[in-house]
Amino acid sequence: MGKFEDNSVDNKSNAQVEQMTWLNMWSHYLTQAPFTQSAQPETAAQVLQQLVEASLQGNSCIDVDSTQLEALGDLAISSDIATTQVAPCVYDQQGLALYRYWQLEQRLAHQICRLKRQMVPHIDVSIFQTLLNDQHQQAALTMVMQQWLSIITGGPGTGKTYTLARIIAALNQTIPDIRIAMAAPTGKAAQRMQEALQNSFNDPKLLESGLITDELRHQNTQTLHRLLGIGNRPTPRFNQKQPLPYDVIVVDEASMLDLNLATLLFEAVPEHCRIILLGDANQLASVDVGSVLADLQHVETLAENRVQLMSSRRFSGDAKIGQFARFIQDQEDSTEQHAVLEKLERDIVTPTVLQAITLTLGMPDQIQLEYLPEQLESDAEQYQQKLMYGFQGYVDALKAYLKADDTEQDMMMVIQAFDDYRILTAVRHGPLGLEQLNRYAEQWLNQQLKQIPVGDWYIGRPVMMTYNDYQLGISNGDVGICFKHRTQAQQFEVFFPSLNKWIAAHRLPRHMQTAFALTIHKSQGSEFTHTAIVLDAHAEKLLSQELIYTAITRAKKVVTLLADQKALQQALTIRTVRRSGLVQKINLDRL
């Protein structure tokens, strides 16, 4: 409940009824004795319901007036006394919050101010400026050398990891016996971070500088949960009393940080440790409460702790995907919906019928758009079939693998072919939702390969882990592909490329998610050569600029957009702004 990716119109009715029933019972129960002596039950229950509903949408607080506060009675207390007393709700200048989220914001604001107050030893930055030519990237290097907290943001291809690699090389030269931690919110994001860093560390210019050591070449990345030691224990292993043993902590895909995880992280940062946040503030915020990276962009007192990288090397000025990303960012909430589609069709892409696209080296990037009919159900299968065009290279690679004697080389070709294409959708249910698309893709693949699944398993089944399993050594977001078992006939084995790890299929959880299609939320931290994005009418009320921006920037060369017109209008014109008190709490805290 409250997870965007688990919502869709066709399954929301039952979920909403259950949710509202629960909220109604809980709020009325809380407004009775012995929990309160002064609340006005009906009005107080309504306010509590609004507050919880807002938190399920990622907001930490809501606006209330004096009448509503009076109706809550002793269920709400002022922030002035909230440090010594506890109540279900707290109100301050920012609004009314559940005590948990008010306290998390207080704790996080305190930790950010702690980092800001610390004096930074002087480092001569000039000797490292030749590592970077771009002025914004040079500014990021200078900032990290002079601040304990650094926030480096930028769109796709602006060189966040490229810049980070040079910053880390400079710090490695400057700080004796430096201890570095690299982390990301999900396993997939951590994998991409490691791959990108290793590529950057192997850049000839950087190698010639003599700043790259064997330790940096073998620098590992991990999930934030693993870094903090969050598992079955009630508190993280590393916390305020037992801080992390590092000199530099880097967090990639920081837009995915929610309020709770960010608080736990900052509380575990030791004195005189640099923390570097990398991310794209225009992407989707966290699934849970909070939009920490976006909030930190608006804190006036952190102006010298932020650098925005501007020049995209992935998308040149005339590159279509880059133009599309900028087009989305330029739209205002007030934009008339019919006008925005006319402008999109004129400036970015002309609607047509989807075609198969052959991927080649050096090809210019492409965008194709087809509108879905209003009555989709009867025509759904033809659109499901069109979405399979992009998997033809994967099928061809699997056929070669099944016929080959040298299966290791052909297995790597399968992995590469699978990473070339992915379907992204906003919802789980419906004819073009996650579940139906994955079922259709399974049937289509097995028909192409003329194979029969054994239980849930078959050659070529891609799977995604949906939680952290430290016994198996796989994390939320890790993706694997099912192959023939290397030693046992008639058995299956799943290879996880990001971990270079084989796991027998029967050892994996039965509810592993098949991953031909992903929700857009789950795709964060991933890149594919060709991305197909499905925005059908079921998703209309759930879409936003952040969602479609995140989806199209997963693609490196090709975007295929299959969309309902009203849903696409919604996605291009609605910007999500979460209510939060974090910005004011940091600004109000004396620095």
Side-chain angles (χ1 to χ4, degrees):
M1 185 169 62
K3 305 291 187 187
F4 178 96
E5 62 184 5
D6 291 333
N7 292 330
S8 64
V9 171
D10 57 311
N11 77 329
K12 277 180 76 176
S13 56
N14 290 336
Q16 284 181 333
V17 169
E18 291 178 6
Q19 179 174 301
M20 292 308 298
T21 300
W22 176 83
L23 276 177
N24 187 57
M25 291 176 60
W26 173 82
S27 59
H28 280 88
Y29 181 66
L30 200 61
T31 58
Q32 308 298 319
F35 303 106
T36 177
Q37 304 298 323
S38 58
Q40 300 170 22
E42 287 304 317
T43 305
Q46 291 175 8
V47 177
L48 290 173
Q49 287 182 34
Q50 292 172 20
L51 186 55
V52 175
E53 287 173 354
S55 71
L56 294 175
Q57 300 302 317
N59 302 289
S60 64
C61 58
I62 62 172
D63 283 325
V64 289
D65 56 33
S66 57
T67 302
Q68 291 172 309
L69 282 178
E70 184 179 353
L72 286 169
D74 52 6
L75 291 174
I77 57 175
S78 166
S79 60
D80 296 336
I81 60 173
T83 54
T84 57
Q85 296 184 32
V86 176
C89 308
V90 179
Y91 61 89
D92 57 18
Q93 296 175 12
Q94 290 80 59
L96 181 73
L98 291 171
Y99 186 92
R100 164 179 166 77
Y101 298 125
W102 175 86
Q103 187 188 52
L104 284 171
E105 287 185 342
Q106 289 287 115
R107 289 162 55 188
L108 180 55
H110 174 75
Q111 295 302 322
I112 290 170
C113 292
R114 171 178 67 90
L115 288 170
K116 181 66 178 174
R117 288 191 191 101
Q118 293 181 149
M119 298 298 293
V120 182
H122 175 74
I123 296 176
D124 184 4
V125 182
S126 62
I127 61 175
F128 301 115
Q129 289 290 353
T130 56
L131 293 174
L132 295 159
N133 297 320
D134 181 276
Q135 61 175 334
H136 301 289
Q137 295 175 352
Q138 288 178 341
L141 170 63
T142 301
M143 173 182 64
V144 172
M145 293 298 186
Q146 296 177 349
Q147 302 289 337
W148 295 113
L149 168 63
S150 299
I151 304 164
I152 303 173
T153 58
T158 52
K160 293 188 292 293
T161 307
Y162 174 91
T163 304
L164 174 66
R166 281 146 181 79
I167 289 171
I168 294 300
L171 288 172
N172 186 59
Q173 179 75 11
T174 304
I175 302 173
D177 302 317
I178 190 171
R179 299 163 299 171
I180 303 170
M182 303 277 190
T186 67
K188 183 63 176 178
Q191 172 211 342
R192 271 204 55 235
M193 183 187 190
Q194 180 150 348
E195 291 170 352
L197 270 174
Q198 295 309 318
N199 288 336
S200 294
F201 285 149
N202 288 323
D203 179 79
K205 182 179 177 180
L206 190 54
L207 290 174
E208 288 172 7
S209 71
L211 299 176
I212 299 301
T213 62
D214 287 340
E215 288 80 5
L216 286 185
R217 285 197 186 93
H218 296 94
Q219 177 71 46
N220 290 321
T221 60
Q222 58 190 312
T223 64
L224 280 171
H225 284 76
R226 184 178 287 275
L227 174 71
L228 294 170
I230 299 174
N232 297 324
R233 64 180 72 217
T235 58
R237 177 186 174 192
F238 295 101
N239 48 55
Q240 204 165 351
K241 293 182 179 179
Q242 184 176 349
L244 289 159
Y246 296 104
D247 303 300
V248 179
I249 298 169
V250 182
V251 180
D252 198 10
E253 297 293 344
S255 65
M256 300 168 70
L257 277 175
D258 61 65
L259 185 56
N260 180 61
L261 187 57
T263 302
L264 296 178
L265 169 65
F266 274 81
E267 286 184 336
V269 175
E271 297 293 318
H272 308 298
C273 170
R274 285 175 171 81
I275 179 166
I276 305 170
L277 304 181
L278 280 80
D280 185 346
N282 293 303
Q283 285 191 32
L284 284 165
S286 62
V287 174
D288 292 318
V289 170
S291 51
V292 174
L293 183 65
D295 283 347
L296 295 181
Q297 297 293 98
H298 295 97
V299 178
E300 294 177 5
T301 49
L302 296 180
E304 62 183 0
N305 299 81
R306 299 188 296 261
V307 168
Q308 170 87 8
L309 304 182
M310 304 298 292
S311 303
S312 176
R313 287 159 180 76
R314 188 196 305 175
F315 303 129
S316 60
D318 59 350
K320 282 293 185 182
I321 298 175
Q323 289 179 5
F324 196 0
R326 290 188 291 274
F327 178 90
I328 295 168
Q329 293 174 286
D330 289 343
Q331 305 312 306
E332 301 292 338
D333 283 354
S334 58
T335 305
E336 294 185 13
Q337 292 194 348
H338 71 277
V340 76
L341 280 192
E342 291 175 2
K343 188 177 180 182
L344 176 74
E345 294 170 11
R346 182 182 67 246
D347 298 344
I348 305 298
V349 57
T350 302
T352 184
V353 176
L354 297 189
Q355 302 291 329
I357 294 178
T358 302
L359 302 178
T360 59
L361 290 174
M363 66 182 294
D365 61 344
Q366 299 179 38
I367 301 173
Q368 56 176 342
L369 165 66
E370 181 173 353
Y371 288 129
L372 291 165
E374 291 186 8
Q375 301 300 321
L376 174 62
E377 280 69 15
S378 59
D379 299 321
E381 188 171 352
Q382 68 166 294
Y383 294 105
Q384 293 166 352
Q385 177 63 39
K386 288 182 179 182
L387 290 168
M388 297 303 108
Y389 292 162
F391 283 124
Q392 189 57 54
Y394 184 52
V395 168
D396 294 341
L398 283 167
K399 287 179 178 177
Y401 160 79
L402 289 169
K403 292 178 181 177
D405 293 327
D406 181 12
T407 56
E408 183 174 351
Q409 180 179 351
D410 289 277
M411 182 193 76
M412 298 310 297
M413 296 297 292
V414 169
I415 294 167
Q416 181 179 335
F418 182 64
D419 276 343
D420 275 341
Y421 179 70
R422 207 64 46 89
I423 304 169
L424 306 183
T425 180
V427 295
R428 299 188 67 87
H429 297 269
L432 293 178
L434 179 79
E435 294 180 0
Q436 184 57 40
L437 287 173
N438 275 322
R439 278 195 294 269
Y440 187 89
E442 284 185 323
Q443 295 168 3
W444 177 82
L445 179 76
N446 287 322
Q447 288 174 357
Q448 297 292 310
L449 299 180
K450 296 180 173 57
Q451 65 178 352
I452 299 173
V454 179
D456 293 329
W457 295 102
Y458 50 88
I459 302 298
R461 181 192 177 193
V463 292
M464 171 181 276
M465 193 66 177
T466 56
Y467 64 92
N468 298 323
D469 189 320
Y470 297 121
Q471 287 187 328
L472 289 175
I474 50 179
S475 303
N476 182 23
D478 284 339
V479 174
I481 297 176
C482 182
F483 291 99
K484 295 179 289 188
H485 199 289
R486 291 165 296 165
T487 58
Q488 300 178 33
Q490 311 304 317
Q491 297 292 320
F492 296 114
E493 213 171 5
V494 177
F495 182 68
F496 290 86
S498 63
L499 308 171
N500 194 28
K501 174 180 286 192
W502 289 92
I503 299 178
H506 70 267
R507 294 188 60 208
L508 292 169
R510 289 185 58 84
H511 53 273
M512 286 287 284
Q513 179 180 302
T514 301
F516 293 100
L518 305 175
T519 60
I520 296 170
H521 267 89
K522 283 291 187 183
S523 74
Q524 282 185 277
S526 300
E527 284 183 357
F528 312 104
T529 311
H530 180 182
T531 299
I533 304 160
V534 183
L535 306 176
D536 67 4
H538 290 74
E540 182 182 346
K541 297 182 186 298
L542 305 173
L543 298 175
S544 67
Q545 291 178 349
E546 292 81 5
L547 191 85
I548 191 170
Y549 174 89
T550 299
I552 70 160
T553 55
R554 299 310 91 206
K556 292 184 284 188
K557 284 296 181 182
V558 182
V559 169
T560 290
L561 191 55
L562 189 59
D564 173 83
Q565 282 186 284
K566 290 182 179 179
L568 183 56
Q569 288 172 347
Q570 171 87 3
L572 292 171
T573 55
I574 301 299
R575 187 179 297 276
T576 301
V577 179
R578 288 186 171 179
R579 279 296 308 271
S580 163
L582 181 61
V583 174
Q584 293 85 349
K585 287 179 174 63
I586 297 172
N587 280 332
L588 291 174
D589 200 331
R590 293 182 180 177
L591 289 172

